[in-house]
Amino acid sequence: MTPKNVLNYSYYPGCSLHASAIEFDASTRGLFKTLRIGLHEVPDWLCCGATPAHNVDELLSLSLCAKNLELSGKVEGDLAVACAACFSRLKTAQHKLAENGEKRRQVEQAIDAPVQLGKPVKHLLEIVARDFGLERLAAAVRKPLAGLKVACYYGCLLTRPPEVSELDDSEAPTIMERVIAAAGAETVAWSHRMECCGANFTLSRPGVVIKLSGDILASAKAAGADCLMVACPLCHGNLDIRQQEIEEASGERYNLPVFYVTQLLGLACGVAAGKLGFESMIVSPAGLLKEKQLL
Amino acid sequence: MKNTKMHLSTRTMNLDFVRKVEALSGSSVRRCFQCGKCSAGCPMRSFMEHPPNRIVRLLQLGQYERVLAGRSIWYCASCETCSTRCPNKVDLAAIMDALRKCSWDAKGPSKESYVQLANRLFIDNIRSYGRQYEMRLGAVFNIKSGQFLKDLMLGPKLLSKGKLKVFQQKNRNIAEVEKIFSRIEEMRRKGEAP
Ligand code: SF4
Ligand code: SF4
């Protein structure tokens, strides 16, 4: 008999986690299964619109999120979100629709249903740190990440604006550091924890990404980090997929693997390495993990 | 544009435009007292000819032509640093969204607004598939922007890592999505939505 879950959530993976961020999805499911936190995917969820939708059409952006909140009502439990961009959009919609009756009426007309704002939307970090708890997490660690120096990268969307995200302090957050320290890793103090990676320009203006993400990699390296840890598929794409281009443009060799938070936590909690999607990373972490005797 | 003198004139002073931006963004521009905190933290500052605080000042003065000319609004990354830090709760990130919409509606696409082309293709994908289809997004963007070979080397790399899906994600709510799009179009036609 499989043991009972200690917590249960409905789950909104978002588009990236089914494509360019498959390792984020795989490691999230692997970690949560090991911690006995149930994740039940919202059936036929829609794209939340991410950054492009609100750039082009705010009403559409709010409507897509409202529709997803409605769909999430079909599955019990608070809504767990992994992608920082989806998290930000869903929370922003909840916030704006609760505050603005005019917009809410427009959205209700667009989705032809009452707006449902009751369900708490939570980022995975919040679930692990608060609902599950850092003590329980530390107790679940089988393989402490001893000696691994991690640069925790928040990017833009996890904590801003604070009244929407409600995740942590918007200027000096520590939730990522606290979570990964509970898994035994060292964290480095560095300057670019929350600087933008170039985000949405990855397709249209790679030059912007190369500059901004290059600064982030340089800062992490200078602080002595072995790797970066992120919770956003866009940040991951810019820092991992474009790292080689950044190296070519700057003449610097970074070789910094960029992990999703769930990959490192999964590794620490004894999820089989084969289920954590390390082979999908462009900057291979194999050398680093072997050197630290974690593989 | 950068070094030309600014003359305040009723010709370029368009307060209707400012009202529209305030309505679209849900944020006041009049609250700003020009402390510059937004620009100090803006990661895209070096790519813009008008930093965020100057955009707000120009709006206060009704200088819409200056605001829409040039590239500043197209280089905003929507990182929300400005909105988070403003002591007067000016939601600059939302104002930037509104300005992009105004510019696109008035002037259509341009080289500066490439990012909006990518954004629009992203939205077309939602309408067609209900979810993103990243491979198609990259390919169509390159064709439409005339950069046929851009990122050619990234494709095989991502495919081999299982990171690009050759087929779109299926979604049984696709009819619902289409209805949301068409209802919004209908509301706009009737003037019931901004
Ligand atoms: S931070 Fe706010 S008040 Fe200060 S210049 Fe920017 S918009 Fe104006
Ligand atoms: S949202 Fe745009 S204007 Fe504001 S700080 Fe970020 S990039 Fe600059």
Side-chain angles (χ1 to χ4, degrees):
Chain A
M1 209 181 87
T2 39
K4 239 172 100 165
N5 287 331
V6 293
L7 292 164
N8 276 296
Y9 294 88
S10 48
Y11 177 46
Y12 180 88
C15 304
S16 311
L17 276 82
H18 279 201
S20 62
I22 40 173
E23 65 268 52
F24 199 6
D25 190 47
S27 56
T28 297
R29 290 177 196 268
L31 173 69
F32 275 45
K33 193 163 178 221
T34 300
L35 298 180
R36 289 195 288 124
I37 307 176
L39 287 180
H40 309 283
E41 189 163 335
V42 174
D44 288 297
W45 50 269
L46 310 172
C47 174
C48 71
T51 309
H54 73 80
N55 262 304
V56 173
D57 186 339
E58 201 211 12
L59 179 57
L60 174 68
S61 157
L62 294 173
S63 303
L64 290 170
C65 289
K67 184 73 200 170
N68 280 312
L69 291 172
E70 184 198 320
L71 290 171
S72 77
K74 295 185 179 167
V75 190
E76 276 194 38
D78 295 355
L79 187 61
V81 186
C83 165
C86 302
F87 170 70
S88 160
R89 291 332 301 165
L90 291 167
K91 294 280 280 191
T92 299
Q94 270 191 326
H95 191 79
K96 286 202 174 166
L97 294 175
E99 274 193 342
N100 190 323
E102 177 71 23
K103 285 202 170 121
R104 193 162 69 224
R105 273 188 296 281
Q106 288 165 1
V107 167
E108 290 186 334
Q109 200 177 334
I111 64 170
D112 195 23
V115 163
Q116 294 174 18
L117 299 175
K119 181 174 278 213
V121 174
K122 291 181 173 168
H123 189 266
L124 301 183
L125 280 166
E126 207 173 340
I127 292 173
V128 170
R130 289 195 203 128
D131 296 2
F132 188 73
L134 294 177
E135 276 172 26
R136 250 203 286 194
L137 176 66
V141 169
R142 300 281 162 270
K143 198 191 294 174
L145 306 175
L148 188 68
K149 294 201 197 79
V150 183
C152 296
Y153 177 62
Y154 290 82
C156 305
L157 299 175
L158 273 179
T159 59
R160 290 184 196 123
E163 65 278 12
V164 172
S165 133
E166 300 171 307
L167 185 66
D168 201 352
D169 188 287
S170 67
E171 295 295 347
T174 54
I175 190 165
M176 289 178 105
E177 278 87 355
R178 281 182 278 133
V179 162
I180 202 64
E186 274 179 51
T187 56
V188 300
W190 63 304
S191 55
H192 278 54
R193 295 192 311 154
M194 310 188 58
E195 292 298 313
C196 174
C197 67
N200 200 23
F201 294 106
T202 192
L203 200 56
S204 52
R205 299 200 184 279
V208 167
V209 172
I210 296 211
K211 164 81 177 69
L212 297 182
S213 292
D215 291 347
I216 291 165
L217 292 171
S219 162
K221 190 93 190 172
D226 297 320
C227 59
L228 282 97
M229 183 174 97
V230 301
C232 173
L234 262 178
C235 302
H236 191 271
N238 288 337
L239 294 166
D240 177 48
I241 298 172
R242 294 216 182 255
Q243 193 169 131
Q244 194 188 340
E245 273 173 89
I246 292 169
E247 288 179 340
E248 280 160 15
S250 64
E252 295 288 333
R253 177 101 173 102
Y254 294 118
N255 193 29
L256 287 170
V258 185
F259 293 102
Y260 285 107
V261 52
T262 44
Q263 287 181 298
L264 285 181
L265 289 180
L267 186 66
C269 294
V271 179
K275 290 192 175 158
L276 293 171
F278 293 136
E279 68 291 341
S280 303
M281 295 161 68
I282 304 286
V283 179
S284 167
L288 172 65
L289 294 178
K290 281 200 191 103
E291 183 198 316
K292 304 283 174 187
Q293 295 175 342
L294 293 168
L295 263 196
Chain B
M1 208 64 181
K2 199 172 179 182
N3 297 314
T4 51
K5 259 196 196 147
M6 186 169 87
H7 298 283
L8 284 182
S9 87
T10 46
R11 192 177 57 78
T12 55
M13 192 155 180
N14 186 332
L15 295 177
D16 285 344
F17 178 81
V18 176
R19 266 179 227 115
K20 185 170 174 203
V21 169
E22 290 193 328
L24 277 169
S25 64
S27 171
S28 158
V29 304
R30 282 157 291 182
R31 282 204 211 119
C32 167
F33 57 19
Q34 289 294 301
C35 66
K37 215 176 163 194
C38 48
S39 303
C42 174
M44 301 302 288
R45 167 71 187 90
S46 62
F47 297 94
M48 298 175 173
E49 73 274 73
H50 299 306
N53 70 304
R54 202 188 297 157
I55 296 268
V56 186
R57 187 72 183 123
L58 288 167
L59 285 173
Q60 288 176 333
L61 297 171
Q63 302 294 303
Y64 81 108
E65 284 181 346
R66 284 197 168 235
V67 171
L68 293 192
R71 49 169 29 191
S72 297
I73 57 174
W74 300 116
Y75 278 79
C76 158
S78 301
C79 72
E80 310 223 21
T81 311
C82 49
S83 304
T84 296
R85 292 187 179 163
C86 175
N88 291 326
K89 292 214 173 306
V90 175
D91 190 351
L92 244 169
I95 289 173
M96 290 288 191
D97 272 353
L99 290 170
R100 283 186 284 266
K101 181 169 190 323
C102 292
S103 171
W104 187 277
D105 290 350
K107 307 200 297 189
S110 67
K111 224 177 156 46
E112 296 298 1
S113 62
Y114 263 178
V115 64
Q116 201 76 334
L117 177 62
N119 290 339
R120 296 207 156 229
L121 295 172
F122 189 97
I123 287 175
D124 289 349
N125 266 353
I126 301 179
R127 190 167 191 162
S128 309
Y129 308 112
R131 291 187 191 165
Q132 277 320 302
Y133 181 11
E134 291 164 332
M135 180 139 123
R136 182 174 181 276
L137 189 64
V140 178
F141 178 78
N142 282 2
I143 295 166
K144 294 219 173 174
S145 63
Q147 311 170 72
F148 300 108
L149 302 178
K150 187 170 87 44
D151 291 340
L152 194 65
M153 295 319 291
L154 279 184
K157 205 187 217 172
L158 297 182
L159 266 178
S160 72
K161 297 274 180 185
K163 282 176 166 276
L164 271 184
K165 291 275 182 300
V166 182
F167 300 102
Q168 73 270 26
Q169 303 183 29
K170 291 225 170 21
N171 198 313
R172 273 170 296 175
N173 279 325
I174 190 68
E176 254 326 292
V177 180
E178 179 51 38
K179 278 193 208 147
I180 294 175
F181 274 86
S182 43
R183 281 193 209 107
I184 291 178
E185 281 168 359
E186 177 72 17
M187 286 161 71
R188 294 230 162 89
R189 254 198 310 276
K190 292 189 188 154
E192 293 167 351

